[in-house]
Amino acid sequence: MALVAIVGRPNVGKSTLFNRLTKSRQAIVSEQAGTTRDRQYGKCEWNGKEFSVVDTGGWVVNSDDVFEEEIRKQVLVATEEADLLLFLVDVQNGVTDWDEDVALILRRTKLPVILVANKVDNNNQQYDAYEFYKLGLGEPLCISSASGSGTGDLLDLVLDRLQNVKDEEDVEDGIPRFAVVGRPNAGKSSIINAFIGEDRHIVTEIAGTTRDSIYTRYDKFGFDFYLVDTAGIRRKNKVSEDLEFYSVMRSIRAIENSDVCILMIDATRGIESQDMNIFQLIQKNNKSLVVVVNKWDLVEDKSQIVIKTFENAIRERMAPFTDFPIIFASALTKQRIFKVLETAKQVYLNRKLKIGTTKLNEVMLPIIEATPPPSIKGKYIKIKYCSQLPNTQIPSFVFYANLPQYVKEAYRRFLENKIRENWTLTGSPINVFIRQK
């Protein structure tokens, strides 16, 4: 899937445009350290085509001394990772020094760039937009992200510029795709090398889209799958390795192109906000999950109490989704590496699980009868029948009720937990829908 990044200096309306393109109201609520920033990533659909959008605005720490440098870093990351850039400028303020700095970087990139003049709220302001020709990035497209004016023309132009970007790599269907993701230095490259070993002749590498991930075919020891890897494929620009935005931009493609995500967590550092950002991306894309606590060989106390405490801490942070495997491994010593592959394969099979309608009703209806949805305003909710929907990306179940609008999220979660108790769906997300019978 193509990746479009919105870049520009602060307060030009990047978040407003992002919200409009993704049809959401996810504007930044908190900039405190540690808050998950998955709200800067979403999907946009236009004329039957879908692409991903990243708003770079929410990734700057709001302090004057690092502000300019951070924006510059993000623009560099975006030029490395995206397929198309939307460079947003503000008609009401005209060309600023910062705009010229960003334009200098963008003129050097081979990426397509669309210059977008925002806050054009009336016809007279369109003439003010001509000032932006001096940035050397072509004709500015006038829009108002607040009112939506001009965004249709913008989306038409985006699709036109993305025509040469392939959606899918040339890989065989029906073969699982495993992505190894995690923040920098968690051991992604090490574990991929441990999987592949020295026998590179069993590997077939398929170059992906223009700047995309590489699929590595792994077919030994009874396994057959593609490893989706983004680590170390493109040259690293002048970007510091610990930049949070960098690790998320790198993860987006790998996650979108996979079935199962192997999330690497550094045992010596525990679960951090960057791990949570990547976990949010996995959830948002409905991908299956295996958590690998790497560098376990460096931990001195490996007692069951320590393992249990670590597991509980991870599940607590990732709640309400807690039904996923956690493996304590070491890419360096190859401890439990084989188990990681076995578990990922099993999680992939769980994702494909099909439950017969008769069996599903036999198990679930007595549970629902014993614990029905709570009545609301004196009205009793009755669920009479359930089934699994066919041909869905993840296991999806529909429960037919007389008053589906009154079934709350807590009860939906209760139904999900009961399904998980009775069938093995470990690692796989599932959907539960309540519909009118």
Side-chain angles (χ1 to χ4, degrees):
M1 190 182 294
L3 184 59
V4 175
I6 305 171
V7 298
R9 61 180 176 77
N11 303 320
V12 290
K14 294 191 295 294
S15 293
T16 312
L17 178 61
F18 170 83
N19 291 345
R20 188 161 288 283
L21 295 182
T22 57
K23 295 179 181 170
S24 64
R25 291 191 180 174
Q26 302 175 318
I28 304 144
V29 178
S30 166
E31 273 304 333
Q32 292 171 357
T35 51
T36 54
R37 295 199 178 97
D38 70 304
R39 61 180 74 83
Q40 269 73 55
Y41 160 79
K43 289 189 169 65
C44 174
E45 192 178 336
W46 185 250
N47 287 344
K49 296 281 171 63
E50 196 178 48
F51 57 88
S52 300
V53 186
V54 175
D55 163 26
T56 62
W59 297 86
V60 178
V61 181
N62 198 353
S63 66
D64 294 336
D65 56 331
V66 295
F67 217 34
E68 210 165 329
E69 182 56 27
E70 287 296 313
I71 291 167
R72 192 173 165 281
K73 279 181 185 174
Q74 282 169 19
V75 173
L76 286 168
V77 171
T79 60
E80 287 263 300
E81 305 300 325
D83 296 301
L84 171 71
L85 299 174
L86 301 181
F87 177 27
L88 216 58
V89 290
D90 179 352
V91 162
Q92 294 172 11
N93 286 336
V95 177
T96 68
D97 292 346
W98 279 12
D99 291 331
E100 290 182 340
D101 287 346
V102 173
L104 184 65
I105 297 168
L106 298 185
R107 284 200 301 272
R108 291 171 178 162
T109 179
K110 292 174 184 170
L111 273 185
V113 177
I114 299 174
L115 179 61
V116 184
N118 192 25
K119 304 185 185 178
V120 180
D121 298 320
N122 58 56
N123 289 338
N124 291 334
Q125 287 178 318
Q126 287 195 2
Y127 300 111
D128 298 334
Y130 293 130
E131 182 190 358
F132 293 105
Y133 270 105
K134 70 186 282 189
L135 295 174
L137 291 165
E139 183 181 354
L141 182 74
C142 296
I143 69 159
S144 169
S145 54
S147 69
S149 166
T151 48
D153 293 338
L154 173 61
L155 285 165
D156 287 340
L157 187 56
V158 166
L159 291 191
D160 183 58
R161 297 283 178 88
L162 289 175
Q163 277 182 351
N164 296 328
V165 178
K166 292 185 289 180
D167 281 342
E168 282 291 325
E169 274 87 345
D170 182 22
V171 295
E172 284 182 46
D173 288 336
I175 295 177
R177 295 185 278 194
F178 301 160
V180 179
V181 294
R183 54 180 172 70
N185 306 319
K188 299 187 294 295
S189 298
S190 303
I191 202 165
I192 287 166
N193 291 339
F195 288 156
I196 295 168
E198 299 301 313
D199 300 318
R200 294 299 300 232
H201 62 271
I202 56 96
V203 168
T204 54
E205 289 188 351
I206 300 166
T209 63
T210 47
R211 320 150 56 73
D212 214 342
S213 54
I214 280 182
Y215 285 104
T216 304
R217 182 79 173 265
Y218 183 103
D219 57 355
K220 59 180 182 178
F221 305 129
F223 293 107
D224 190 6
F225 60 84
Y226 286 107
L227 267 175
V228 188
D229 173 30
T230 52
I233 288 168
R234 275 151 278 161
R235 67 184 179 82
K236 290 184 180 67
N237 213 323
K238 293 168 187 172
V239 176
S240 59
E241 265 287 9
D242 59 353
L243 186 63
E244 199 165 348
F245 177 65
Y246 176 78
S247 66
V248 170
M249 284 286 281
R250 273 279 158 113
S251 302
I252 287 171
R253 290 183 182 283
I255 290 167
E256 285 181 346
N257 292 333
S258 69
D259 298 305
V260 178
C261 293
I262 299 169
L263 174 58
M264 304 289 289
I265 291 175
D266 186 335
T268 62
R269 295 178 66 169
I271 188 162
E272 299 181 332
S273 63
Q274 258 176 293
D275 300 315
M276 289 307 299
N277 286 325
I278 294 166
F279 171 69
Q280 299 274 356
L281 288 174
I282 294 166
Q283 275 210 309
K284 190 170 273 192
N285 281 283
N286 280 330
K287 302 302 182 183
S288 299
L289 174 67
V290 175
V291 172
V292 176
V293 180
N294 190 31
K295 306 184 185 177
W296 193 239
D297 54 310
L298 301 179
V299 176
E300 287 181 18
D301 186 355
K302 298 181 176 68
S303 66
Q304 282 303 311
I305 296 169
V306 171
I307 290 173
K308 202 72 194 158
T309 306
F310 214 125
E311 279 189 2
N312 290 342
I314 293 170
R315 293 191 200 282
E316 208 171 282
R317 287 290 299 275
M318 295 183 179
F321 181 46
T322 56
D323 187 17
F324 54 83
I326 300 173
I327 300 164
F328 295 83
S330 167
L332 190 67
T333 65
K334 300 192 177 178
Q335 182 187 15
R336 298 194 189 91
I337 290 297
F338 201 72
K339 189 177 180 185
V340 173
L341 294 181
E342 284 182 329
T343 307
K345 183 180 177 182
Q346 185 56 52
V347 163
Y348 174 77
L349 295 174
N350 295 348
R351 185 184 179 85
K352 301 289 179 188
L353 183 70
K354 297 283 182 281
I355 303 168
T357 304
T358 309
K359 186 67 181 169
L360 190 66
N361 282 274
E362 269 177 19
V363 173
M364 293 305 294
L365 291 185
I367 292 170
I368 292 166
E369 205 173 310
T371 315
S375 60
I376 293 181
K377 299 175 188 173
K379 293 177 179 173
Y380 292 96
I381 302 157
K382 294 185 180 67
I383 295 173
K384 292 287 185 187
Y385 175 74
C386 56
S387 66
Q388 183 176 356
L389 295 171
N391 307 320
T392 52
Q393 188 192 19
I394 59 172
S396 300
F397 303 90
V398 58
F399 291 80
Y400 294 95
N402 59 338
L403 298 164
Q405 68 273 26
Y406 290 135
V407 178
K408 301 290 184 197
E409 182 59 33
Y411 195 76
R412 205 187 305 257
R413 205 166 287 148
F414 166 77
L415 293 174
E416 178 182 333
N417 290 339
K418 291 299 172 189
I419 292 170
R420 289 185 183 280
E421 279 176 25
N422 287 279
W423 289 277
T424 306
L425 287 158
T426 303
S428 175
I430 66 175
N431 286 327
V432 173
F433 303 106
I434 313 290
R435 294 202 182 139
Q436 188 75 43
K437 67 174 183 179

